[in-house]
Amino acid sequence: MLKRTSLVDDVVNAFLKDVKEGRYQYGEKLPSQKFLSNHYQVSLIVLREALSKLSAIGMVRFHQGKGTFLVDSQDRTSEVSSDFSSLIFHDINNLRSIVEARQVVEQKNCYFAAERRTEEDLKEINQTIEKMDQNLPNYNEFAKWDLEFHISLAKASKNIALQKITLLLIDSYRNEVPKFYQIPGVIEKVLQEHIDIYDSIRNRKGLDASNTMTAHLELPEKVFIEKLNSQK
């Protein structure tokens, strides 16, 4: 018999899959808890714990008297990340701090993902790589799926705190990423590094995945810092 914590994680993963497949629309009210508990075939207690977990990572929002709503990924950290982003790209010391924080967080995401990933996690990560490959000439679409790759790694880590921090860090870079891919040769290099990270996670080689991620982050962070220096 599955433990309640396992059931809760199963519901969370099933819900995220349904979101990805378009069953629920961003910004719209979700069906009733009774409907959801029947749909996922769990008790109301388990369903509520799963919704609480989804709320903790910013996927859903509770409105008293109105119900539960699915939050758009662009809005999950909008208020915080807006101030955060403007602060970062106007101060070299703040940017260095964020660069160092991202290195630590992304390394841990990779390490934990290699230990804890499920087959569903692997499918999601691989799908982002396939989307990147399909959009090689399109900088904006490539960048979108690049960021989704990193978000998928955070989800696979099964660490809610790391997931929220990852979203915050990624949103601070979001508008700058497409420009980075206009540098000749970069887009192909990034794609291959993502493939290498995925392979390490699939083979449960956490240290290899972490080391590849460290190398993967070096060039974009160097470019961002050089850009900020040139604006002074």
Side-chain angles (χ1 to χ4, degrees), residues 57 109 112 116 154-164:
I57 62 174
N109 283 343
F112 290 140
R116 303 168 182 173
K155 288 180 183 176
S157 77
K158 311 303 181 192
N159 184 301
I160 291 176
L162 286 177
Q163 290 175 45
K164 296 194 77 169

Side-chain angles (χ1 to χ4, degrees), residues 17-187:
K17 181 181 178 182
D18 284 345
V19 169
K20 195 166 188 178
E21 293 176 351
R23 179 182 291 272
Y24 311 117
Q25 300 303 311
Y26 289 114
E28 292 188 359
K29 181 180 176 180
L30 294 174
S32 69
Q33 291 187 3
K34 183 176 180 180
F35 176 92
L36 291 173
S37 66
N38 289 333
H39 174 68
Y40 295 113
Q41 299 182 330
V42 294
S43 68
L44 280 171
I45 294 175
V46 170
L47 187 277
R48 286 165 184 156
E49 287 185 22
L51 289 175
S52 295
K53 207 165 186 179
L54 289 163
S55 174
I57 62 174
M59 279 297 300
V60 302
R61 186 173 295 149
F62 302 116
H63 291 283
Q64 189 171 4
K66 294 182 178 180
T68 307
F69 292 76
L70 181 63
V71 181
D72 193 321
S73 60
Q74 296 280 353
D75 297 331
R76 288 176 209 163
T77 56
S78 58
E79 294 182 4
V80 179
S81 64
S82 177
D83 295 337
F84 197 50
S85 181
S86 62
L87 178 68
I88 291 168
F89 286 100
H90 287 85
D91 190 307
I92 189 66
N93 293 321
N94 287 330
L95 179 55
R96 284 201 180 99
S97 295
I98 299 306
V99 165
E100 291 171 0
R102 190 181 179 200
Q103 288 173 341
V104 173
V105 170
E106 295 272 17
Q107 287 170 17
K108 287 299 183 182
N109 283 343
C110 286
Y111 189 83
F112 290 140
E115 284 189 338
R116 303 168 182 173
R117 93 295 183 281
T118 63
E119 289 302 313
E120 190 62 37
D121 291 325
L122 291 177
K123 288 179 184 178
E124 183 172 342
I125 296 168
N126 188 55
Q127 184 180 50
T128 65
I129 294 173
E130 290 176 349
K131 292 290 186 180
M132 291 171 68
D133 190 30
Q134 293 166 11
N135 289 281
L136 277 176
N138 187 326
Y139 300 128
N140 289 324
E141 279 298 306
F142 187 91
K144 169 188 171 183
W145 289 105
D146 173 15
L147 297 179
E148 287 297 325
F149 171 85
H150 289 273
I151 292 171
S152 295
L153 293 183
K155 288 180 183 176
S157 77
K158 311 303 181 192
N159 184 301
I160 291 176
L162 286 177
Q163 290 175 45
K164 296 194 77 169
I165 294 169
T166 298
L167 281 172
L168 182 60
L169 292 171
I170 283 176
D171 278 358
S172 72
Y173 280 85
R174 190 178 294 277
N175 294 330
E176 300 296 318
V177 173
K179 303 170 189 176
F180 170 66
Y181 291 127
Q182 298 177 33
I183 301 173
V186 164
I187 204 167

